[in-house]
Amino acid sequence: MLVRDAMSTVILTIGPAHTLRQAARLMSTRRVGAAVVLDTDAGGLGIITERDILNSLARDQDPDVETAGSHTTHEVVFAAPGWTLAEAAEAMTHGGFRHLVVLDGQGPVGMVSVRDIIRCWIPAHSVAGR
């Protein structure tokens, strides 16, 4: 099975000026654990995750003042839609993260998470039979 079969094609994209509270609200509303941070001025994209927000709160930083841009990971490992799920899982394990932005030649086309991979690897009847 390939990344394109497991990925979510609904991508939450925010700007670096969004506050962490705004990012958290958007992520909660969309029920996602990560957002793509698109910085058109710097010409790049990064990722912010629920863990980044949690770490900021643990340091007693104000979520209404802290911005997504200050907590964005810019050295992102990207997946291609044609990667196998095993390749994506290996990249996640090696990098110590739970989300991969999926890129094609035009830009981001999806997001794949550990949960997406597990959902595909576990047969539906195994989950239903519990």
Side-chain angles (χ1 to χ4, degrees), residues 37-76:
V37 180
L38 183 57
D39 189 345
T40 54
D41 292 335
L45 62 103
I47 189 170
I48 188 167
T49 67
E50 57 200 359
R51 183 176 293 166
D52 296 321
I53 296 169
L54 183 65
N55 287 339
S56 175
L57 293 174
R59 290 189 296 270
D60 291 325
Q61 295 175 330
D62 185 344
D64 294 313
V65 174
E66 293 296 314
T67 63
S70 298
H71 296 275
T72 297
T73 300
H74 294 284
E75 290 135 17
V76 179

Side-chain angles (χ1 to χ4, degrees), residues 74-99:
H74 294 284
E75 290 135 17
V76 179
V77 175
F78 299 102
W83 279 17
T84 65
L85 294 185
E87 288 172 313
E90 183 177 330
M92 290 176 180
T93 301
H94 180 72
F97 39 82
R98 299 177 299 185
H99 299 87

